[in-house]
Amino acid sequence: MTPQKAAAPRTVTQGALAHSQILDAAEELFYQEGARSSGIDAVVKRAGVNKMSLYRQFESKDDLLKQYLQRRDEKFLAYLHASLDKHPGQPRRQLEQFFTDLAARTATPGYRGCPFVNIAAEFPDTEHFARQMVAGNKARLLAALTELAHAAGASDAPGLAAGLALLIEGAYTASQTYAPGNSLLPALPLVAKILLDAALPANT
């Protein structure tokens, strides 16, 4: 019996490679310098492609912005689940771990805060698709916090989730407004613990 040949490895097409390079470049520029102030010329220069390549992959700058936000939403959910997966089945410890990890992430060099908060500041029209995507990301975060609060035994799970969400948003802002090395962000886990102690039954 003649053994079957192994399938040849798939190669990345030029279009897929260009798409990835352009989106990587847009992600760097939009996050570090702002979506409105980063023009198409800057994106193609950073990506090392020409405008024709960009417009073959993205219908417009709005399309590029939409895909940037979709990627950022996926990354945020990955951050969240990476924290939760450290303590499966232990909702209180999962919540505590998320704030420990958030404190570490906000101290990372080059951290520019929450990309969704940044986009909200750039686009004041709440009907704009970018603002709708921001709202969707925040709604998913609040839903996850509420589910964890319920699982941890909170008598007022929505109230606890709202308090934790406010703490998260405050951390995003403080990471940009306070000087590096400030004492606020390292206090995140302690403040979260105080909220959890007040809202959850003892010994949870």
Side-chain angles (χ1 to χ4, degrees), residues 18 20 33 36 48 67 72 82 85 87 90 96 100 105 108 126 134 141-142 165 168-169 178 181 186 200-201:
S20 179
E33 300 180 20
R36 283 193 180 277
Q67 293 196 41
R72 277 293 180 168
D85 289 346
H87 305 287
Q90 302 177 72
E96 291 174 338
T100 297
R105 194 161 78 251
T108 302
T126 57
V134 169
L141 169 60
L142 187 57
I168 293 167
E169 297 303 307
Y178 281 80
L200 299 180

PDB file of all heavy atoms in Angstrom, residues 18 20 33 36 48 67 72 82 85 87 90 96 100 105 108 126 134 141-142 165 168-169 178 181 186 200-201:
ATOM      1  N   ALA A  18      -0.780  41.219   3.255  1.00  0.00           N
ATOM      2  CA  ALA A  18      -0.973  42.667   3.212  1.00  0.00           C
ATOM      3  C   ALA A  18      -2.043  43.100   4.205  1.00  0.00           C
ATOM      4  O   ALA A  18      -1.887  44.104   4.906  1.00  0.00           O
ATOM      5  CB  ALA A  18      -1.357  43.104   1.802  1.00  0.00           C
ATOM      6  N   SER A  20      -2.879  41.683   7.008  1.00  0.00           N
ATOM      7  CA  SER A  20      -2.323  41.599   8.352  1.00  0.00           C
ATOM      8  C   SER A  20      -1.370  42.760   8.632  1.00  0.00           C
ATOM      9  O   SER A  20      -1.415  43.373   9.694  1.00  0.00           O
ATOM     10  CB  SER A  20      -1.602  40.265   8.529  1.00  0.00           C
ATOM     11  OG  SER A  20      -1.028  40.177   9.810  1.00  0.00           O
ATOM     12  N   GLU A  33      -1.515  57.001  18.679  1.00  0.00           N
ATOM     13  CA  GLU A  33      -1.615  58.391  18.225  1.00  0.00           C
ATOM     14  C   GLU A  33      -3.043  58.847  17.958  1.00  0.00           C
ATOM     15  O   GLU A  33      -3.273  60.036  17.735  1.00  0.00           O
ATOM     16  CB  GLU A  33      -0.758  58.579  16.963  1.00  0.00           C
ATOM     17  CG  GLU A  33       0.714  58.264  17.200  1.00  0.00           C
ATOM     18  CD  GLU A  33       1.565  58.442  15.958  1.00  0.00           C
ATOM     19  OE1 GLU A  33       1.124  59.155  15.031  1.00  0.00           O
ATOM     20  OE2 GLU A  33       2.665  57.873  15.910  1.00  0.00           O
ATOM     21  N   ARG A  36      -8.330  59.349  14.492  1.00  0.00           N
ATOM     22  CA  ARG A  36      -8.605  60.501  13.623  1.00  0.00           C
ATOM     23  C   ARG A  36      -7.321  61.129  13.100  1.00  0.00           C
ATOM     24  O   ARG A  36      -7.262  61.566  11.948  1.00  0.00           O
ATOM     25  CB  ARG A  36      -9.426  61.542  14.384  1.00  0.00           C
ATOM     26  CG  ARG A  36     -10.901  61.188  14.519  1.00  0.00           C
ATOM     27  CD  ARG A  36     -11.681  62.402  15.001  1.00  0.00           C
ATOM     28  NE  ARG A  36     -13.087  62.156  15.165  1.00  0.00           N
ATOM     29  CZ  ARG A  36     -13.992  62.196  14.198  1.00  0.00           C
ATOM     30  NH1 ARG A  36     -13.615  62.447  12.959  1.00  0.00           N
ATOM     31  NH2 ARG A  36     -15.273  61.965  14.458  1.00  0.00           N
ATOM     32  N   GLY A  48       4.345  49.367   5.172  1.00  0.00           N
ATOM     33  CA  GLY A  48       5.263  49.031   4.088  1.00  0.00           C
ATOM     34  C   GLY A  48       4.567  48.573   2.827  1.00  0.00           C
ATOM     35  O   GLY A  48       5.098  47.760   2.065  1.00  0.00           O
ATOM     36  N   GLN A  67     -12.463  47.157  11.703  1.00  0.00           N
ATOM     37  CA  GLN A  67     -11.709  45.922  11.925  1.00  0.00           C
ATOM     38  C   GLN A  67     -10.708  46.075  13.064  1.00  0.00           C
ATOM     39  O   GLN A  67     -10.434  45.104  13.792  1.00  0.00           O
ATOM     40  CB  GLN A  67     -11.027  45.490  10.634  1.00  0.00           C
ATOM     41  CG  GLN A  67     -12.026  45.077   9.556  1.00  0.00           C
ATOM     42  CD  GLN A  67     -11.389  44.286   8.438  1.00  0.00           C
ATOM     43  OE1 GLN A  67     -10.552  43.420   8.653  1.00  0.00           O
ATOM     44  NE2 GLN A  67     -11.804  44.588   7.201  1.00  0.00           N
ATOM     45  N   ARG A  72      -9.504  44.623  18.681  1.00  0.00           N
ATOM     46  CA  ARG A  72      -9.298  45.040  20.064  1.00  0.00           C
ATOM     47  C   ARG A  72     -10.319  44.401  21.000  1.00  0.00           C
ATOM     48  O   ARG A  72     -10.006  44.069  22.146  1.00  0.00           O
ATOM     49  CB  ARG A  72      -9.358  46.571  20.159  1.00  0.00           C
ATOM     50  CG  ARG A  72      -8.053  47.252  19.796  1.00  0.00           C
ATOM     51  CD  ARG A  72      -7.012  46.926  20.838  1.00  0.00           C
ATOM     52  NE  ARG A  72      -5.734  47.540  20.562  1.00  0.00           N
ATOM     53  CZ  ARG A  72      -4.725  47.589  21.438  1.00  0.00           C
ATOM     54  NH1 ARG A  72      -4.870  47.053  22.632  1.00  0.00           N
ATOM     55  NH2 ARG A  72      -3.581  48.133  21.117  1.00  0.00           N
ATOM     56  N   ALA A  82      -8.101  34.991  30.107  1.00  0.00           N
ATOM     57  CA  ALA A  82      -6.807  34.544  30.635  1.00  0.00           C
ATOM     58  C   ALA A  82      -6.767  34.700  32.151  1.00  0.00           C
ATOM     59  O   ALA A  82      -6.210  33.850  32.861  1.00  0.00           O
ATOM     60  CB  ALA A  82      -5.670  35.329  29.991  1.00  0.00           C
ATOM     61  N   ASP A  85      -9.323  32.049  33.706  1.00  0.00           N
ATOM     62  CA  ASP A  85      -8.877  30.662  33.575  1.00  0.00           C
ATOM     63  C   ASP A  85      -7.844  30.267  34.629  1.00  0.00           C
ATOM     64  O   ASP A  85      -7.553  29.070  34.796  1.00  0.00           O
ATOM     65  CB  ASP A  85      -8.302  30.421  32.179  1.00  0.00           C
ATOM     66  CG  ASP A  85      -9.379  30.410  31.095  1.00  0.00           C
ATOM     67  OD1 ASP A  85     -10.581  30.330  31.458  1.00  0.00           O
ATOM     68  OD2 ASP A  85      -9.026  30.505  29.906  1.00  0.00           O
ATOM     69  N   HIS A  87      -8.310  30.558  37.772  1.00  0.00           N
ATOM     70  CA  HIS A  87      -9.044  30.041  38.935  1.00  0.00           C
ATOM     71  C   HIS A  87     -10.413  29.517  38.497  1.00  0.00           C
ATOM     72  O   HIS A  87     -11.448  30.053  38.888  1.00  0.00           O
ATOM     73  CB  HIS A  87      -9.216  31.141  39.993  1.00  0.00           C
ATOM     74  CG  HIS A  87      -7.929  31.760  40.427  1.00  0.00           C
ATOM     75  ND1 HIS A  87      -7.023  31.103  41.232  1.00  0.00           N
ATOM     76  CD2 HIS A  87      -7.387  32.979  40.149  1.00  0.00           C
ATOM     77  CE1 HIS A  87      -5.980  31.885  41.449  1.00  0.00           C
ATOM     78  NE2 HIS A  87      -6.165  33.029  40.803  1.00  0.00           N
ATOM     79  N   GLN A  90     -14.012  29.368  40.567  1.00  0.00           N
ATOM     80  CA  GLN A  90     -13.866  30.170  41.786  1.00  0.00           C
ATOM     81  C   GLN A  90     -14.122  31.645  41.446  1.00  0.00           C
ATOM     82  O   GLN A  90     -13.174  32.410  41.265  1.00  0.00           O
ATOM     83  CB  GLN A  90     -12.482  29.994  42.388  1.00  0.00           C
ATOM     84  CG  GLN A  90     -12.130  28.556  42.738  1.00  0.00           C
ATOM     85  CD  GLN A  90     -10.720  28.429  43.275  1.00  0.00           C
ATOM     86  OE1 GLN A  90     -10.414  28.830  44.404  1.00  0.00           O
ATOM     87  NE2 GLN A  90      -9.835  27.872  42.453  1.00  0.00           N
ATOM     88  N   GLU A  96     -10.837  38.789  41.664  1.00  0.00           N
ATOM     89  CA  GLU A  96      -9.629  39.338  42.281  1.00  0.00           C
ATOM     90  C   GLU A  96      -8.444  39.255  41.315  1.00  0.00           C
ATOM     91  O   GLU A  96      -7.648  40.198  41.202  1.00  0.00           O
ATOM     92  CB  GLU A  96      -9.309  38.593  43.573  1.00  0.00           C
ATOM     93  CG  GLU A  96     -10.310  38.852  44.692  1.00  0.00           C
ATOM     94  CD  GLU A  96     -10.059  37.997  45.918  1.00  0.00           C
ATOM     95  OE1 GLU A  96      -9.415  36.928  45.797  1.00  0.00           O
ATOM     96  OE2 GLU A  96     -10.522  38.396  47.003  1.00  0.00           O
ATOM     97  N   THR A 100      -5.798  42.131  39.724  1.00  0.00           N
ATOM     98  CA  THR A 100      -4.348  41.989  39.848  1.00  0.00           C
ATOM     99  C   THR A 100      -3.683  42.100  38.484  1.00  0.00           C
ATOM    100  O   THR A 100      -2.679  42.807  38.305  1.00  0.00           O
ATOM    101  CB  THR A 100      -3.998  40.639  40.491  1.00  0.00           C
ATOM    102  OG1 THR A 100      -4.532  40.601  41.821  1.00  0.00           O
ATOM    103  CG2 THR A 100      -2.490  40.419  40.554  1.00  0.00           C
ATOM    104  N   ARG A 105      -1.098  45.223  33.890  1.00  0.00           N
ATOM    105  CA  ARG A 105      -1.188  45.667  32.498  1.00  0.00           C
ATOM    106  C   ARG A 105      -1.096  47.179  32.385  1.00  0.00           C
ATOM    107  O   ARG A 105      -0.469  47.703  31.458  1.00  0.00           O
ATOM    108  CB  ARG A 105      -2.479  45.150  31.854  1.00  0.00           C
ATOM    109  CG  ARG A 105      -2.484  45.287  30.346  1.00  0.00           C
ATOM    110  CD  ARG A 105      -3.509  44.383  29.680  1.00  0.00           C
ATOM    111  NE  ARG A 105      -4.878  44.893  29.767  1.00  0.00           N
ATOM    112  CZ  ARG A 105      -5.827  44.369  30.515  1.00  0.00           C
ATOM    113  NH1 ARG A 105      -5.574  43.312  31.264  1.00  0.00           N
ATOM    114  NH2 ARG A 105      -7.041  44.871  30.528  1.00  0.00           N
ATOM    115  N   THR A 108       2.431  48.538  32.223  1.00  0.00           N
ATOM    116  CA  THR A 108       3.288  48.119  31.118  1.00  0.00           C
ATOM    117  C   THR A 108       3.755  49.335  30.321  1.00  0.00           C
ATOM    118  O   THR A 108       2.958  50.222  30.010  1.00  0.00           O
ATOM    119  CB  THR A 108       2.518  47.176  30.171  1.00  0.00           C
ATOM    120  OG1 THR A 108       2.058  46.048  30.919  1.00  0.00           O
ATOM    121  CG2 THR A 108       3.406  46.698  29.036  1.00  0.00           C
ATOM    122  N   THR A 126     -22.698  59.696  19.494  1.00  0.00           N
ATOM    123  CA  THR A 126     -23.005  58.372  20.055  1.00  0.00           C
ATOM    124  C   THR A 126     -23.649  57.431  19.037  1.00  0.00           C
ATOM    125  O   THR A 126     -23.747  56.231  19.286  1.00  0.00           O
ATOM    126  CB  THR A 126     -23.933  58.496  21.277  1.00  0.00           C
ATOM    127  OG1 THR A 126     -25.135  59.182  20.898  1.00  0.00           O
ATOM    128  CG2 THR A 126     -23.247  59.250  22.406  1.00  0.00           C
ATOM    129  N   VAL A 134     -17.884  50.627  20.827  1.00  0.00           N
ATOM    130  CA  VAL A 134     -17.411  50.880  22.194  1.00  0.00           C
ATOM    131  C   VAL A 134     -18.462  50.427  23.199  1.00  0.00           C
ATOM    132  O   VAL A 134     -18.171  49.713  24.173  1.00  0.00           O
ATOM    133  CB  VAL A 134     -17.088  52.377  22.399  1.00  0.00           C
ATOM    134  CG1 VAL A 134     -16.853  52.681  23.880  1.00  0.00           C
ATOM    135  CG2 VAL A 134     -15.872  52.784  21.573  1.00  0.00           C
ATOM    136  N   LEU A 141     -18.370  43.516  28.906  1.00  0.00           N
ATOM    137  CA  LEU A 141     -17.629  43.515  30.172  1.00  0.00           C
ATOM    138  C   LEU A 141     -18.590  43.515  31.350  1.00  0.00           C
ATOM    139  O   LEU A 141     -18.436  42.715  32.289  1.00  0.00           O
ATOM    140  CB  LEU A 141     -16.722  44.747  30.245  1.00  0.00           C
ATOM    141  CG  LEU A 141     -16.078  45.015  31.612  1.00  0.00           C
ATOM    142  CD1 LEU A 141     -15.200  43.841  32.048  1.00  0.00           C
ATOM    143  CD2 LEU A 141     -15.275  46.312  31.581  1.00  0.00           C
ATOM    144  N   LEU A 142     -19.597  44.384  31.322  1.00  0.00           N
ATOM    145  CA  LEU A 142     -20.540  44.468  32.430  1.00  0.00           C
ATOM    146  C   LEU A 142     -21.310  43.158  32.591  1.00  0.00           C
ATOM    147  O   LEU A 142     -21.552  42.706  33.720  1.00  0.00           O
ATOM    148  CB  LEU A 142     -21.500  45.632  32.210  1.00  0.00           C
ATOM    149  CG  LEU A 142     -22.455  45.953  33.372  1.00  0.00           C
ATOM    150  CD1 LEU A 142     -21.680  46.250  34.656  1.00  0.00           C
ATOM    151  CD2 LEU A 142     -23.355  47.128  33.002  1.00  0.00           C
ATOM    152  N   ALA A 165     -17.127  47.756  37.503  1.00  0.00           N
ATOM    153  CA  ALA A 165     -16.942  48.380  36.188  1.00  0.00           C
ATOM    154  C   ALA A 165     -16.453  49.818  36.326  1.00  0.00           C
ATOM    155  O   ALA A 165     -15.582  50.262  35.566  1.00  0.00           O
ATOM    156  CB  ALA A 165     -18.248  48.337  35.394  1.00  0.00           C
ATOM    157  N   ILE A 168     -12.799  49.756  37.109  1.00  0.00           N
ATOM    158  CA  ILE A 168     -12.012  49.470  35.909  1.00  0.00           C
ATOM    159  C   ILE A 168     -11.849  50.720  35.050  1.00  0.00           C
ATOM    160  O   ILE A 168     -10.744  51.059  34.604  1.00  0.00           O
ATOM    161  CB  ILE A 168     -12.677  48.343  35.094  1.00  0.00           C
ATOM    162  CG1 ILE A 168     -12.615  47.024  35.865  1.00  0.00           C
ATOM    163  CG2 ILE A 168     -12.013  48.193  33.722  1.00  0.00           C
ATOM    164  CD1 ILE A 168     -13.500  45.935  35.299  1.00  0.00           C
ATOM    165  N   GLU A 169     -12.966  51.431  34.822  1.00  0.00           N
ATOM    166  CA  GLU A 169     -12.887  52.642  33.994  1.00  0.00           C
ATOM    167  C   GLU A 169     -11.992  53.697  34.644  1.00  0.00           C
ATOM    168  O   GLU A 169     -11.248  54.410  33.965  1.00  0.00           O
ATOM    169  CB  GLU A 169     -14.289  53.206  33.749  1.00  0.00           C
ATOM    170  CG  GLU A 169     -15.209  52.278  32.959  1.00  0.00           C
ATOM    171  CD  GLU A 169     -14.643  51.895  31.608  1.00  0.00           C
ATOM    172  OE1 GLU A 169     -14.276  52.788  30.826  1.00  0.00           O
ATOM    173  OE2 GLU A 169     -14.575  50.684  31.331  1.00  0.00           O
ATOM    174  N   TYR A 178      -2.197  60.143  35.754  1.00  0.00           N
ATOM    175  CA  TYR A 178      -1.228  60.192  36.848  1.00  0.00           C
ATOM    176  C   TYR A 178       0.155  59.822  36.329  1.00  0.00           C
ATOM    177  O   TYR A 178       0.296  59.065  35.376  1.00  0.00           O
ATOM    178  CB  TYR A 178      -1.640  59.239  37.972  1.00  0.00           C
ATOM    179  CG  TYR A 178      -2.724  59.817  38.852  1.00  0.00           C
ATOM    180  CD1 TYR A 178      -4.055  59.797  38.442  1.00  0.00           C
ATOM    181  CD2 TYR A 178      -2.425  60.404  40.082  1.00  0.00           C
ATOM    182  CE1 TYR A 178      -5.063  60.335  39.232  1.00  0.00           C
ATOM    183  CE2 TYR A 178      -3.418  60.944  40.879  1.00  0.00           C
ATOM    184  CZ  TYR A 178      -4.738  60.915  40.446  1.00  0.00           C
ATOM    185  OH  TYR A 178      -5.725  61.451  41.233  1.00  0.00           O
ATOM    186  N   GLY A 181       4.555  55.355  37.937  1.00  0.00           N
ATOM    187  CA  GLY A 181       4.991  55.014  39.279  1.00  0.00           C
ATOM    188  C   GLY A 181       4.078  55.525  40.372  1.00  0.00           C
ATOM    189  O   GLY A 181       4.432  55.496  41.557  1.00  0.00           O
ATOM    190  N   PRO A 186      -1.349  50.385  41.677  1.00  0.00           N
ATOM    191  CA  PRO A 186      -1.039  49.208  42.489  1.00  0.00           C
ATOM    192  C   PRO A 186      -2.111  48.919  43.548  1.00  0.00           C
ATOM    193  O   PRO A 186      -2.185  47.798  44.062  1.00  0.00           O
ATOM    194  CB  PRO A 186       0.295  49.577  43.151  1.00  0.00           C
ATOM    195  CG  PRO A 186       0.920  50.558  42.214  1.00  0.00           C
ATOM    196  CD  PRO A 186      -0.238  51.360  41.693  1.00  0.00           C
ATOM    197  N   LEU A 200     -20.107  40.407  49.139  1.00  0.00           N
ATOM    198  CA  LEU A 200     -20.218  38.952  49.081  1.00  0.00           C
ATOM    199  C   LEU A 200     -20.328  38.332  50.462  1.00  0.00           C
ATOM    200  O   LEU A 200     -19.825  38.903  51.444  1.00  0.00           O
ATOM    201  CB  LEU A 200     -18.998  38.362  48.351  1.00  0.00           C
ATOM    202  CG  LEU A 200     -18.798  38.790  46.894  1.00  0.00           C
ATOM    203  CD1 LEU A 200     -17.567  38.143  46.328  1.00  0.00           C
ATOM    204  CD2 LEU A 200     -20.030  38.443  46.053  1.00  0.00           C
ATOM    205  N   PRO A 201     -20.942  37.177  50.561  1.00  0.00           N
ATOM    206  CA  PRO A 201     -21.007  36.478  51.841  1.00  0.00           C
ATOM    207  C   PRO A 201     -19.610  36.124  52.332  1.00  0.00           C
ATOM    208  O   PRO A 201     -18.682  35.983  51.535  1.00  0.00           O
ATOM    209  CB  PRO A 201     -21.810  35.206  51.515  1.00  0.00           C
ATOM    210  CG  PRO A 201     -22.490  35.480  50.231  1.00  0.00           C
ATOM    211  CD  PRO A 201     -21.628  36.448  49.485  1.00  0.00           C
TER     212      PRO A 201
END
